[in-house]
Amino acid sequence: MKPASPHSCDPEACPLVAGWQQSLATAGPAAHALLAAIASDHAPALAAHFYKVMLNDSRASRSMSHDQVRVRLQPAMQRWLTGLLGATPDDVEQLLAAQRVIGDVHARVGIPVDLVTRGTRVLKQRIFSLIVEQAGHGETAHAAIASLTASFDIALEGMTLAYSNARERSSRTDAAYRLFSLVQNVSTERERQRALLLDWENTLLYALASTGRMPGFQSLASSEFGLWFTHKGIPSFGESTETNQVLHLIAEVDQLLEHTLSSHEDATLRAAQLQDVRMKVGQVRNLLGMLFERIGELDAGCDALTNLLNRRFLPTVLRREIELAEKSAGSFAVLLLDLDHFKHINDAHGHESGDRALQHVAGILTQFTRGSDYVFRYGGEEFVVVLVAVDQRQALVIAEGLCRRIADSPVALADGQLLDVSSSIGVAMYDGHPDYERVMARADAAMYQAKKQGRNRVVLGDEGLPTAPGRAALQRG
């Protein structure tokens, strides 16, 4: 047996590795053979039992469907069981590293730790019964039970350790996200949102005064102000009694309007109902002022070159959009954009020109996306745009428009020369999976295909596209 090397595992993992190796060495070959045989014969049934227990809890059923369990999760659980039950001391470091990856994924997706603990407890009980059936109550059975218990407990400890670390990182980032508010200039943003709210109210009153009817009128929730508040305002201010009041008032306004605009009651009653709408909009305006006063003048936590959002906030935004999409049965899209031949720009014109190109494209992305959308500098010459509350058609129209505007807008260099630039854009729609890495991976694969197909184009990502080479996980914390 090779003992855990202090150089091959971190201080948190080394004690777990040593303990696991010791328990396997103590069990002996007969116990090891018994556990390996149980894995070989019973892994499919054990995996099915595990997910039956999991899906009985509504918290798990929100994160996984029966099809996902059957096609992807049960085979993965079978491999996990085979790895643990067939483990040797030499396998332990690799196995523990795998448990920590699983813990990270559980944290991203939001699977509660107690559900996983419950599932492993039920699995252990089932395997204990199989051990007794096959080996009775003798020495081999006792050694196998002790080894199984240690393996499951240490694997779960490794998962929980990674889960706790990941959740702590996420909490710190979420807090920083509120602190370094998306509201980059509080006074300017306050006036902009007040103006949008006033414009919506004036449009409503003008149209009613002139025609008395409002076919297709935009609700307050779906107005530019409403989208901004739901997707950007609440994360910036943090959830509070005031933000919940604003959401409640917006819903009440839209409910009143739906009744008022569809009714055929006399003008006096309609005027009274509209006065109620205006009163509630005034309450929204007052609450908004309080929220902006509270947030204060804060630094925006932006990329220094482009003044776009820092990529460290991307997981926070994607988790929020997934939560909103699940609540509203809506969708959102991720655009991953890469400047074409950027290395050539730096080599031929210098890094200052490359910086100008990045700033130029950042300006286009900011100008031609909605106030409720998010634009990030993802790294190097890559940008990410999160388009909120869009379907596939709308996402593609916006992406094609951005691609065209970038190609049609040369960069003015310091010497007066105009430099043509273009971009390759991958588009991925949220598909209902709770892990934000999935939508990022599809956007990455689509962007890679856009480059392969000749650049300066938009490609829609789907599960059929090959994974982009060198695809890395989102930067953590």
Side-chain angles (χ1 to χ4, degrees):
M1 177 184 75
K2 295 184 296 186
S5 164
H7 302 293
S8 61
C9 60
D10 59 60
E12 291 180 322
C14 275
L16 299 180
V17 170
W20 200 345
Q21 288 175 333
Q22 183 60 44
S23 73
L24 291 173
T26 302
H32 178 268
L34 174 59
L35 291 173
I38 288 173
S40 177
D41 296 340
H42 298 281
L46 289 167
H49 183 59
F50 175 87
Y51 281 109
K52 181 180 179 182
V53 171
M54 292 284 277
L55 288 173
N56 280 337
D57 192 296
S58 60
R59 294 172 296 166
S61 61
R62 285 196 297 267
S63 302
M64 59 185 78
S65 67
H66 287 279
D67 284 343
Q68 286 173 338
V69 167
R70 178 177 52 82
V71 174
R72 188 171 56 83
L73 298 179
Q74 277 189 196
M77 172 56 75
Q78 292 175 38
R79 292 191 294 272
W80 183 81
L81 282 166
T82 302
L84 256 64
L85 297 182
T88 67
D90 290 344
D91 300 328
V92 164
E93 287 192 46
Q94 184 176 354
L95 279 172
L96 188 60
Q99 309 316 305
R100 298 183 75 174
V101 171
I102 293 169
D104 274 337
V105 173
H106 286 173
R108 275 206 310 267
V109 174
I111 296 291
V113 172
D114 64 287
L115 280 184
V116 181
T117 305
R118 182 191 309 166
T120 53
R121 172 175 56 80
V122 169
L123 273 183
K124 279 197 293 187
Q125 291 171 342
R126 181 63 63 93
I127 297 171
F128 290 163
S129 299
L130 292 171
I131 289 172
V132 172
E133 285 177 16
Q134 297 188 23
H137 296 279
E139 184 177 335
T140 297
H142 285 294
I145 287 172
S147 178
L148 171 72
T149 300
S151 293
F152 268 47
D153 289 353
I154 293 171
L156 190 59
E157 191 174 342
M159 282 186 216
T160 305
L161 178 64
Y163 182 97
S164 299
N165 289 343
R167 296 293 284 188
E168 186 179 343
R169 288 194 301 269
S170 296
S171 296
R172 287 199 303 266
T173 303
D174 291 353
Y177 178 68
R178 289 191 294 272
L179 180 65
F180 299 112
S181 169
L182 297 184
V183 182
Q184 296 181 26
N185 185 308
V186 174
S187 58
T188 301
E189 191 66 32
R190 177 175 56 227
E191 294 310 312
R192 180 172 180 271
Q193 295 308 320
R194 288 182 63 184
L196 286 172
L197 189 57
L198 183 61
D199 284 347
W200 179 87
E201 185 179 8
N202 287 340
T203 301
L204 168 69
L205 296 174
Y206 177 79
L208 283 172
S210 58
T211 66
R213 292 191 172 274
M214 293 287 294
F217 182 73
Q218 192 173 47
S219 68
L220 183 53
S222 62
S223 69
E224 190 169 351
F225 166 79
L227 288 174
W228 175 88
F229 186 80
T230 301
H231 293 274
K232 277 193 172 179
I234 292 175
S236 297
F237 300 130
E239 290 196 29
S240 65
T241 303
E242 289 80 6
T243 56
N244 288 333
Q245 280 183 277
V246 172
L247 284 177
H248 185 68
L249 285 165
I250 289 173
E252 286 187 338
V253 165
D254 287 341
Q255 188 175 9
L256 272 169
L257 273 179
E258 184 178 0
H259 178 266
T260 300
L261 298 176
S262 61
S263 69
H264 299 285
E265 293 164 339
D266 63 69
T268 303
L269 185 55
R270 282 167 61 93
Q273 290 171 332
L274 285 171
Q275 186 60 35
D276 197 9
V277 167
R278 296 193 68 185
M279 181 189 70
K280 292 183 185 300
V281 171
Q283 290 176 297
V284 170
R285 193 178 296 111
N286 291 337
L287 285 166
L288 192 65
M290 291 170 54
L291 289 166
F292 271 112
E293 285 176 16
R294 183 180 301 165
I295 202 170
E297 291 289 347
L298 299 174
D299 184 76
C302 292
D303 173 66
L305 178 66
T306 63
N307 205 35
L308 298 180
L309 283 169
N310 190 303
R311 66 174 281 166
R312 68 187 287 234
F313 293 142
L314 182 54
T316 298
V317 168
L318 292 177
R319 284 195 303 269
R320 167 75 178 169
E321 289 305 314
I322 287 172
E323 181 183 342
L324 288 171
E326 287 299 308
K327 286 180 178 177
S328 65
S331 187
F332 65 90
V334 170
L335 314 186
L336 184 55
L337 180 150
D338 187 271
L339 287 192
D340 298 328
H341 304 296
F342 186 70
K343 184 178 183 301
H344 174 73
I345 294 174
N346 280 334
D347 291 345
H349 302 279
H351 287 278
E352 182 184 347
S353 296
D355 287 349
R356 280 180 176 255
L358 292 171
Q359 291 169 330
H360 176 77
V361 170
I364 291 173
L365 296 178
T366 303
Q367 183 179 357
F368 294 103
T369 51
R370 301 164 301 172
S372 52
D373 298 324
Y374 298 85
V375 185
F376 295 84
R377 170 94 180 275
Y378 193 56
E381 67 272 28
E382 290 186 337
F383 300 87
V384 167
V385 181
V386 180
L387 300 174
V388 307
V390 292
D391 57 27
Q392 180 175 299
R393 182 191 64 79
Q394 293 167 325
L396 287 172
V397 167
I398 294 171
E400 293 282 2
L402 293 173
C403 189
R404 186 172 56 252
R405 289 182 186 279
I406 291 168
D408 291 346
S409 305
V411 181
L413 302 183
D415 60 3
Q417 181 181 353
L418 294 179
L419 175 66
D420 288 330
V421 292
S422 64
S423 62
S424 300
I425 304 178
V427 180
M429 299 301 301
Y430 170 62
D431 63 356
H433 196 283
D435 188 351
Y436 55 74
E437 276 286 0
R438 300 256 299 197
V439 70
M440 287 300 302
R442 281 188 287 111
D444 197 11
M447 189 265 285
Y448 178 67
Q449 288 299 313
K451 287 196 168 294
K452 279 188 67 175
Q453 294 174 18
R455 296 180 169 84
N456 191 26
R457 66 191 62 230
V458 173
V459 170
L460 177 67
D462 58 45
E463 295 295 344
L465 290 178
T467 302
R471 166 70 188 157
L474 277 173
Q475 178 179 322
R476 296 191 180 112

